[in-house]
Coordinates of all heavy atoms in Angstrom, one line a residue:
M254 N 0.1 11.2 -43.3 CA 0.2 11.8 -42.0 C 1.6 11.9 -41.5 O 1.9 12.8 -40.8 CB -0.7 11.1 -41.1 CG -2.2 11.4 -41.2 SD -3.4 10.8 -40.0 CE -2.6 9.9 -38.8
V255 N 2.4 10.9 -41.8 CA 3.8 10.9 -41.3 C 4.5 12.0 -41.9 O 5.2 12.8 -41.2 CB 4.4 9.5 -41.6 CG1 5.9 9.6 -41.3 CG2 3.8 8.4 -40.8
E256 N 4.4 12.2 -43.2 CA 5.1 13.3 -43.9 C 4.6 14.7 -43.4 O 5.4 15.6 -43.2 CB 5.0 13.2 -45.4 CG 5.8 12.0 -45.9 CD 5.5 11.6 -47.3 OE1 4.5 12.2 -47.9 OE2 6.2 10.8 -47.9
K257 N 3.3 14.8 -43.1 CA 2.8 16.0 -42.6 C 3.3 16.3 -41.1 O 3.7 17.4 -40.8 CB 1.2 16.0 -42.5 CG 0.6 17.2 -41.9 CD 0.7 18.4 -42.8 CE -0.2 19.5 -42.3 NZ -0.1 20.7 -43.1
G258 N 3.5 15.2 -40.4 CA 4.1 15.3 -39.1 C 5.5 15.8 -39.1 O 6.0 16.6 -38.3
H259 N 6.3 15.3 -40.1 CA 7.7 15.8 -40.3 C 7.7 17.3 -40.6 O 8.5 18.0 -40.1 CB 8.3 15.0 -41.5 CG 8.6 13.6 -41.2 ND1 9.0 12.7 -42.2 CD2 8.5 12.8 -40.1 CE1 9.2 11.5 -41.7 NE2 8.8 11.6 -40.4
K260 N 6.8 17.7 -41.5 CA 6.7 19.1 -41.8 C 6.4 20.0 -40.6 O 7.1 21.0 -40.4 CB 5.6 19.3 -42.9 CG 5.5 20.7 -43.4 CD 4.4 20.8 -44.5 CE 4.3 22.2 -45.1 NZ 3.7 23.2 -44.3
I261 N 5.4 19.6 -39.8 CA 5.1 20.3 -38.6 C 6.2 20.3 -37.6 O 6.5 21.4 -37.0 CB 3.8 19.7 -38.0 CG1 2.6 20.0 -38.9 CG2 3.6 20.3 -36.6 CD1 1.3 19.2 -38.6
A262 N 6.9 19.2 -37.5 CA 8.0 19.1 -36.5 C 9.1 20.1 -37.0 O 9.7 20.7 -36.1 CB 8.5 17.7 -36.4
K263 N 9.4 20.1 -38.2 CA 10.4 21.1 -38.8 C 10.0 22.5 -38.5 O 10.8 23.3 -38.0 CB 10.6 20.9 -40.3 CG 11.5 19.8 -40.7 CD 11.6 19.8 -42.2 CE 12.7 18.9 -42.7 NZ 12.9 19.0 -44.1
E264 N 8.8 22.8 -38.7 CA 8.3 24.2 -38.5 C 8.4 24.6 -37.0 O 8.6 25.7 -36.7 CB 6.8 24.3 -38.9 CG 6.7 24.3 -40.4 CD 5.2 24.2 -40.9 OE1 4.3 24.1 -40.0 OE2 5.0 24.1 -42.1
L265 N 8.3 23.6 -36.1 CA 8.4 23.8 -34.7 C 9.8 23.8 -34.2 O 10.1 24.0 -33.0 CB 7.6 22.8 -33.9 CG 6.0 22.9 -34.1 CD1 5.3 21.7 -33.5 CD2 5.5 24.2 -33.5
G266 N 10.8 23.5 -35.1 CA 12.2 23.6 -34.8 C 12.8 22.3 -34.3 O 13.9 22.3 -33.8
Y267 N 12.1 21.2 -34.4 CA 12.7 19.9 -34.0 C 13.7 19.4 -35.0 O 13.6 19.7 -36.2 CB 11.6 18.8 -33.9 CG 10.7 19.1 -32.7 CD1 9.5 19.7 -32.9 CD2 11.1 18.7 -31.4 CE1 8.6 20.0 -31.8 CE2 10.2 18.9 -30.3 CZ 9.0 19.5 -30.5 OH 8.2 19.8 -29.4
K268 N 14.7 18.7 -34.5 CA 15.8 18.2 -35.4 C 15.6 16.8 -35.9 O 16.1 16.4 -36.9 CB 17.1 18.3 -34.6 CG 17.6 19.6 -34.2 CD 18.8 19.5 -33.3 CE 19.3 20.9 -32.9 NZ 20.5 20.9 -32.1
G269 N 14.8 16.1 -35.1 CA 14.6 14.7 -35.5 C 13.4 14.1 -34.8 O 12.8 14.8 -33.9
I270 N 13.0 12.9 -35.2 CA 11.9 12.2 -34.6 C 12.3 10.8 -34.2 O 13.0 10.2 -35.0 CB 10.7 12.2 -35.5 CG1 10.3 13.7 -35.9 CG2 9.5 11.4 -35.0 CD1 9.2 13.8 -37.0
V271 N 11.8 10.3 -33.1 CA 12.0 8.9 -32.7 C 10.7 8.2 -32.6 O 9.7 8.8 -32.1 CB 12.7 8.9 -31.3 CG1 12.9 7.5 -30.8 CG2 14.1 9.6 -31.3
V272 N 10.6 7.0 -33.1 CA 9.4 6.2 -33.0 C 9.6 4.8 -32.6 O 10.7 4.3 -32.8 CB 8.6 6.2 -34.4 CG1 8.2 7.6 -34.9 CG2 9.5 5.5 -35.5
L273 N 8.6 4.2 -32.0 CA 8.7 2.8 -31.6 C 7.5 2.2 -32.5 O 6.4 2.5 -32.2 CB 8.4 2.6 -30.1 CG 8.3 1.2 -29.6 CD1 9.6 0.4 -30.0 CD2 8.1 1.2 -28.1
G274 N 7.9 1.4 -33.5 CA 6.8 0.9 -34.3 C 7.3 -0.2 -35.3 O 8.4 -0.7 -35.1
H275 N 6.5 -0.5 -36.3 CA 6.8 -1.5 -37.3 C 7.9 -1.1 -38.2 O 7.8 -0.1 -38.9 CB 5.6 -1.9 -38.0 CG 5.7 -3.2 -38.8 ND1 6.3 -3.3 -40.0 CD2 5.2 -4.4 -38.5 CE1 6.3 -4.5 -40.4 NE2 5.6 -5.2 -39.5
A276 N 9.0 -1.8 -38.2 CA 10.2 -1.4 -39.0 C 9.9 -1.2 -40.5 O 10.3 -0.3 -41.1 CB 11.3 -2.4 -38.8
D277 N 9.2 -2.2 -41.1 CA 8.9 -2.1 -42.5 C 8.1 -0.9 -42.9 O 8.3 -0.2 -43.9 CB 8.2 -3.4 -43.0 CG 9.1 -4.6 -43.0 OD1 10.3 -4.4 -43.0 OD2 8.5 -5.7 -42.9
Y278 N 7.2 -0.5 -42.0 CA 6.3 0.7 -42.3 C 7.1 2.0 -42.2 O 7.1 2.8 -43.2 CB 5.2 0.7 -41.3 CG 4.3 2.0 -41.5 CD1 3.4 2.0 -42.5 CD2 4.4 3.1 -40.6 CE1 2.6 3.1 -42.7 CE2 3.6 4.2 -40.8 CZ 2.7 4.2 -41.9 OH 1.9 5.3 -42.1
Y279 N 7.9 2.2 -41.2 CA 8.6 3.4 -41.0 C 9.8 3.5 -41.9 O 10.2 4.7 -42.2 CB 9.0 3.6 -39.5 CG 7.8 4.0 -38.7 CD1 7.1 3.1 -38.0 CD2 7.3 5.3 -38.8 CE1 5.9 3.5 -37.2 CE2 6.2 5.7 -38.1 CZ 5.5 4.8 -37.3 OH 4.4 5.2 -36.6
K280 N 10.4 2.4 -42.4 CA 11.5 2.5 -43.3 C 11.1 3.2 -44.6 O 11.9 3.9 -45.2 CB 12.0 1.1 -43.7 CG 12.9 0.5 -42.7 CD 13.4 -0.9 -43.3 CE 14.0 -1.7 -42.2 NZ 14.3 -3.1 -42.7
K281 N 9.8 3.1 -45.0 CA 9.3 3.8 -46.2 C 9.5 5.3 -46.1 O 9.5 6.0 -47.1 CB 7.8 3.4 -46.4 CG 7.6 2.0 -46.7 CD 6.1 1.8 -47.0 CE 5.2 1.8 -45.8 NZ 3.8 1.5 -46.1
F282 N 9.5 5.8 -44.9 CA 9.6 7.3 -44.7 C 11.0 7.7 -44.3 O 11.3 8.9 -44.1 CB 8.7 7.7 -43.6 CG 7.2 7.4 -43.9 CD1 6.6 6.3 -43.4 CD2 6.5 8.2 -44.8 CE1 5.3 6.0 -43.7 CE2 5.2 7.9 -45.1 CZ 4.6 6.8 -44.6
G283 N 12.0 6.8 -44.4 CA 13.4 7.1 -44.1 C 13.9 6.9 -42.7 O 15.0 7.2 -42.4
Y284 N 13.1 6.2 -41.9 CA 13.5 5.9 -40.5 C 14.6 4.8 -40.5 O 14.5 3.9 -41.3 CB 12.3 5.5 -39.6 CG 11.5 6.7 -39.2 CD1 10.5 7.2 -40.1 CD2 11.6 7.3 -38.0 CE1 9.7 8.3 -39.7 CE2 10.9 8.4 -37.6 CZ 9.9 8.9 -38.5 OH 9.2 9.9 -38.1
E285 N 15.5 4.9 -39.6 CA 16.5 3.9 -39.4 C 16.6 3.6 -37.9 O 16.1 4.4 -37.1 CB 17.9 4.5 -39.9 CG 17.9 4.9 -41.4 CD 19.2 5.5 -41.8 OE1 20.2 4.7 -41.8 OE2 19.3 6.7 -42.0
P286 N 17.3 2.5 -37.6 CA 17.4 2.2 -36.2 C 18.0 3.4 -35.4 O 19.0 3.9 -35.8 CB 18.3 1.0 -36.1 CG 18.0 0.3 -37.5 CD 17.8 1.4 -38.4
A287 N 17.4 3.7 -34.3 CA 17.9 4.9 -33.5 C 19.3 4.6 -33.0 O 20.0 5.6 -32.7 CB 16.9 5.2 -32.4
S288 N 19.6 3.4 -32.8 CA 21.0 3.0 -32.3 C 22.1 3.5 -33.3 O 23.2 3.7 -32.8 CB 21.1 1.5 -32.2 OG 20.9 0.9 -33.5
K289 N 21.8 3.8 -34.5 CA 22.7 4.4 -35.4 C 23.3 5.7 -34.8 O 24.4 6.1 -35.1 CB 22.0 4.7 -36.8 CG 22.9 5.5 -37.7 CD 22.1 5.8 -39.0 CE 22.9 6.7 -39.9 NZ 22.2 6.9 -41.2
W290 N 22.5 6.4 -34.1 CA 22.9 7.7 -33.5 C 23.2 7.6 -32.0 O 23.4 8.6 -31.3 CB 21.8 8.8 -33.7 CG 21.6 9.1 -35.1 CD1 22.4 10.0 -35.9 CD2 20.6 8.6 -36.0 NE1 21.9 10.0 -37.1 CE2 20.8 9.2 -37.3 CE3 19.5 7.8 -35.9 CZ2 20.0 9.0 -38.4 CZ3 18.7 7.5 -37.0 CH2 19.0 8.1 -38.2
G291 N 23.2 6.4 -31.5 CA 23.4 6.2 -30.0 C 22.2 6.5 -29.2 O 22.3 6.8 -28.0
I292 N 21.0 6.5 -29.8 CA 19.8 6.8 -29.1 C 19.2 5.4 -28.6 O 19.0 4.5 -29.5 CB 18.8 7.5 -30.0 CG1 19.4 8.9 -30.4 CG2 17.5 7.8 -29.3 CD1 18.6 9.6 -31.5
K293 N 18.8 5.3 -27.4 CA 18.3 4.1 -26.8 C 16.9 4.2 -26.3 O 16.5 5.3 -25.9 CB 19.2 3.7 -25.6 CG 20.6 3.4 -26.0 CD 21.5 3.2 -24.8 CE 23.0 3.1 -25.2 NZ 23.8 3.0 -24.1
C294 N 16.2 3.1 -26.3 CA 14.8 3.0 -25.8 C 14.9 2.7 -24.3 O 15.8 1.9 -23.9 CB 14.1 2.0 -26.5 SG 12.3 1.9 -26.1
P295 N 14.1 3.2 -23.4 CA 14.1 2.9 -22.0 C 13.6 1.5 -21.7 O 13.7 1.1 -20.5 CB 13.3 4.0 -21.4 CG 12.3 4.4 -22.4 CD 13.1 4.2 -23.7
I296 N 13.0 0.8 -22.6 CA 12.5 -0.5 -22.4 C 13.2 -1.4 -23.4 O 13.7 -0.9 -24.5 CB 11.0 -0.7 -22.5 CG1 10.5 -0.2 -23.9 CG2 10.3 0.1 -21.4 CD1 9.0 -0.4 -24.1
E297 N 13.2 -2.7 -23.2 CA 13.9 -3.6 -24.1 C 12.9 -3.9 -25.3 O 11.8 -4.4 -25.1 CB 14.2 -4.9 -23.4 CG 15.2 -5.7 -24.2 CD 15.9 -6.8 -23.4 OE1 16.2 -6.5 -22.2 OE2 16.1 -7.9 -24.0
V298 N 13.4 -3.5 -26.5 CA 12.7 -3.7 -27.7 C 13.7 -4.1 -28.8 O 14.8 -3.7 -28.7 CB 11.8 -2.5 -28.2 CG1 10.8 -2.1 -27.1 CG2 12.7 -1.3 -28.4
P299 N 13.2 -4.8 -29.8 CA 14.1 -5.1 -30.9 C 14.7 -3.8 -31.6 O 13.9 -2.8 -31.7 CB 13.3 -5.9 -31.9 CG 12.2 -6.4 -31.1 CD 11.9 -5.4 -30.0
D300 N 16.0 -3.8 -31.9 CA 16.6 -2.6 -32.4 C 15.9 -2.1 -33.7 O 15.8 -0.9 -33.8 CB 18.1 -3.0 -32.7 CG 18.9 -1.8 -33.0 OD1 18.9 -0.8 -32.2 OD2 19.6 -1.7 -34.1
E301 N 15.4 -3.0 -34.5 CA 14.8 -2.6 -35.7 C 13.4 -1.9 -35.5 O 12.9 -1.3 -36.4 CB 14.7 -3.7 -36.7 CG 13.7 -4.8 -36.3 CD 14.4 -5.9 -35.5 OE1 15.6 -5.8 -35.1 OE2 13.7 -7.0 -35.3
N302 N 12.9 -2.0 -34.3 CA 11.6 -1.3 -34.0 C 11.7 0.0 -33.3 O 10.7 0.7 -33.2 CB 10.7 -2.3 -33.2 CG 10.4 -3.5 -34.0 OD1 10.8 -4.6 -33.6 ND2 9.6 -3.4 -35.1
F303 N 12.8 0.4 -32.9 CA 13.0 1.7 -32.2 C 13.9 2.5 -33.2 O 15.1 2.3 -33.4 CB 13.8 1.5 -30.9 CG 13.8 2.8 -30.1 CD1 12.6 3.4 -29.6 CD2 15.0 3.4 -29.8 CE1 12.6 4.5 -28.9 CE2 15.0 4.6 -29.1 CZ 13.8 5.1 -28.6
M304 N 13.2 3.5 -33.9 CA 13.8 4.1 -35.0 C 13.8 5.6 -34.9 O 13.1 6.2 -34.0 CB 13.0 3.8 -36.3 CG 13.1 2.3 -36.6 SD 11.7 1.8 -37.7 CE 10.4 1.7 -36.6
A305 N 14.6 6.3 -35.7 CA 14.7 7.7 -35.7 C 14.9 8.2 -37.1 O 15.3 7.4 -38.0 CB 15.8 8.2 -34.8
I306 N 14.6 9.5 -37.3 CA 14.9 10.1 -38.6 C 15.4 11.5 -38.3 O 14.9 12.2 -37.4 CB 13.6 10.2 -39.5 CG1 14.0 10.7 -40.9 CG2 12.5 11.0 -38.9 CD1 12.8 10.5 -41.9
E307 N 16.4 11.9 -39.1 CA 16.9 13.3 -39.0 C 16.0 14.2 -39.9 O 15.7 13.8 -41.1 CB 18.3 13.4 -39.5 CG 19.3 12.7 -38.6 CD 20.7 12.8 -39.2 OE1 21.0 12.6 -40.4 OE2 21.6 13.2 -38.4
L308 N 15.5 15.3 -39.4 CA 14.7 16.2 -40.2 C 15.6 17.1 -41.0 O 15.2 17.7 -42.0 CB 13.8 17.0 -39.3 CG 12.7 16.2 -38.6 CD1 11.9 17.0 -37.7 CD2 11.9 15.4 -39.6
Y309 N 16.9 17.2 -40.7 CA 17.9 17.9 -41.4 C 19.2 17.1 -41.4 O 19.5 16.4 -40.4 CB 18.2 19.3 -40.7 CG 17.0 20.2 -40.5 CD1 16.3 20.2 -39.3 CD2 16.6 21.0 -41.6 CE1 15.2 21.0 -39.2 CE2 15.5 21.8 -41.4 CZ 14.8 21.8 -40.2 OH 13.7 22.6 -40.0
P310 N 19.9 17.0 -42.5 CA 21.1 16.2 -42.6 C 22.1 16.5 -41.4 O 22.4 17.7 -41.1 CB 21.8 16.6 -43.9 CG 20.6 17.1 -44.7 CD 19.7 17.8 -43.8
G311 N 22.5 15.5 -40.7 CA 23.4 15.6 -39.6 C 22.8 16.1 -38.3 O 23.5 16.3 -37.3
A312 N 21.5 16.3 -38.3 CA 20.8 16.9 -37.1 C 21.0 16.0 -35.8 O 20.9 16.6 -34.7 CB 19.4 17.2 -37.4
L313 N 21.1 14.7 -36.0 CA 21.2 13.9 -34.8 C 22.6 13.4 -34.5 O 22.8 12.6 -33.6 CB 20.3 12.6 -35.0 CG 18.8 13.0 -35.1 CD1 18.0 11.7 -35.3 CD2 18.3 13.7 -33.8
S314 N 23.6 14.0 -35.2 CA 25.0 13.5 -35.1 C 25.5 13.6 -33.7 O 26.4 12.9 -33.3 CB 25.9 14.1 -36.1 OG 25.9 15.5 -35.9
N315 N 25.1 14.6 -32.9 CA 25.6 14.8 -31.6 C 24.6 14.5 -30.5 O 24.7 14.9 -29.4 CB 26.0 16.3 -31.4 CG 27.3 16.6 -32.3 OD1 28.2 15.8 -32.3 ND2 27.2 17.7 -32.9
V316 N 23.5 13.7 -30.9 CA 22.5 13.3 -30.0 C 22.7 11.9 -29.5 O 22.8 11.0 -30.4 CB 21.1 13.5 -30.6 CG1 20.0 13.0 -29.7 CG2 20.9 14.9 -31.0
K317 N 22.8 11.7 -28.2 CA 23.0 10.3 -27.7 C 22.3 10.2 -26.4 O 22.0 11.2 -25.7 CB 24.5 10.0 -27.5 CG 25.3 10.1 -28.8 CD 26.7 9.7 -28.6 CE 27.5 9.7 -29.9 NZ 26.9 10.1 -31.1
G318 N 21.9 9.0 -26.0 CA 21.3 8.8 -24.7 C 20.0 8.0 -24.8 O 19.7 7.4 -25.8
T319 N 19.3 8.0 -23.7 CA 18.0 7.2 -23.6 C 16.8 8.1 -23.6 O 16.8 9.1 -23.0 CB 18.0 6.4 -22.3 OG1 19.2 5.5 -22.3 CG2 16.8 5.5 -22.2
V320 N 15.9 7.8 -24.5 CA 14.7 8.6 -24.6 C 13.9 8.5 -23.3 O 13.8 7.5 -22.6 CB 13.8 8.1 -25.7 CG1 12.4 8.7 -25.8 CG2 14.5 8.3 -27.1
E321 N 13.3 9.6 -22.9 CA 12.5 9.7 -21.7 C 11.1 10.0 -22.1 O 10.8 11.0 -22.8 CB 13.0 10.8 -20.7 CG 14.3 10.5 -20.1 CD 14.7 11.6 -19.0 OE1 13.8 12.3 -18.5 OE2 15.9 11.7 -18.8
Y322 N 10.2 9.1 -21.8 CA 8.8 9.3 -22.1 C 8.0 10.0 -21.0 O 8.4 9.8 -19.8 CB 8.1 7.9 -22.4 CG 8.5 7.3 -23.7 CD1 9.6 6.4 -23.8 CD2 7.8 7.5 -24.8 CE1 10.0 5.8 -25.0 CE2 8.1 6.9 -26.0 CZ 9.2 6.1 -26.1 OH 9.6 5.5 -27.3
P323 N 6.9 10.7 -21.2 CA 6.1 11.2 -20.1 C 5.6 10.1 -19.2 O 5.4 9.0 -19.7 CB 5.0 11.9 -20.9 CG 5.5 12.2 -22.3 CD 6.4 11.0 -22.6
K324 N 5.4 10.4 -18.0 CA 5.0 9.4 -17.0 C 3.7 8.7 -17.4 O 3.5 7.5 -17.1 CB 4.9 10.0 -15.6 CG 3.8 11.0 -15.5 CD 3.6 11.6 -14.1 CE 2.5 12.6 -14.1 NZ 2.2 13.2 -12.8
E325 N 2.9 9.4 -18.2 CA 1.6 8.8 -18.6 C 1.8 7.5 -19.4 O 0.9 6.7 -19.5 CB 0.8 9.8 -19.4 CG 0.3 10.9 -18.6 CD 1.3 12.0 -18.4 OE1 2.4 12.0 -19.0 OE2 1.0 13.0 -17.6
F326 N 3.0 7.3 -20.1 CA 3.3 6.2 -20.8 C 3.6 5.0 -20.0 O 3.6 3.8 -20.4 CB 4.4 6.4 -21.8 CG 4.0 7.2 -23.0 CD1 3.9 8.6 -23.0 CD2 3.7 6.6 -24.2 CE1 3.5 9.3 -24.1 CE2 3.4 7.3 -25.4 CZ 3.2 8.6 -25.3
G327 N 3.9 5.2 -18.7 CA 4.3 4.1 -17.8 C 5.5 3.4 -18.2 O 5.7 2.2 -17.8
I328 N 6.4 4.0 -18.9 CA 7.7 3.3 -19.3 C 8.8 3.6 -18.4 O 9.6 2.7 -18.2 CB 8.0 3.8 -20.8 CG1 6.9 3.2 -21.7 CG2 9.3 3.3 -21.2 CD1 7.0 3.6 -23.2
N329 N 9.0 4.8 -18.0 CA 10.2 5.2 -17.2 C 10.1 4.8 -15.8 O 9.1 4.7 -15.1 CB 10.5 6.7 -17.3 CG 10.9 7.1 -18.7 OD1 11.3 6.3 -19.5 ND2 10.6 8.3 -19.1

């Protein structure tokens, strides 16, 4: 399902994906700490659990800042 999600995201024109989850699980799919790209989580979480992946090489190189979640998540 993760790989299918990557394919769909590419088809929709997304450059990358950010997840908050289990580091060992998402590493298998190529995710790395989002801090590598200067991407921050709006809540305090361990760096290894807030991850991102570039869907195209270099796609996140100019992306920096804090992720904003929809209000339904109750995070922002």
Side-chain angles (χ1 to χ4, degrees):
M254 279 189 3
V255 173
E256 291 170 348
K257 179 72 172 179
H259 291 173
K260 182 179 184 289
I261 293 169
K263 279 182 164 182
E264 290 170 358
L265 292 172
Y267 290 97
K268 296 178 180 183
I270 299 172
V271 176
V272 298
L273 176 58
H275 195 280
D277 291 337
Y278 178 76
Y279 285 99
K280 278 184 197 175
K281 296 186 284 186
F282 299 101
Y284 284 82
E285 300 179 69
S288 60
K289 171 182 176 178
W290 294 280
I292 301 170
K293 300 175 186 171
C294 187
I296 58 172
E297 195 163 322
V298 296
D300 192 53
E301 66 269 12
N302 296 114
F303 190 65
M304 299 161 280
I306 189 169
E307 293 181 311
L308 296 177
Y309 303 96
L313 297 177
S314 61
N315 293 318
V316 176
K317 296 185 182 0
T319 303
V320 170
E321 291 186 23
Y322 286 91
K324 65 179 179 176
E325 292 80 8
F326 283 80
I328 292 177
N329 294 335

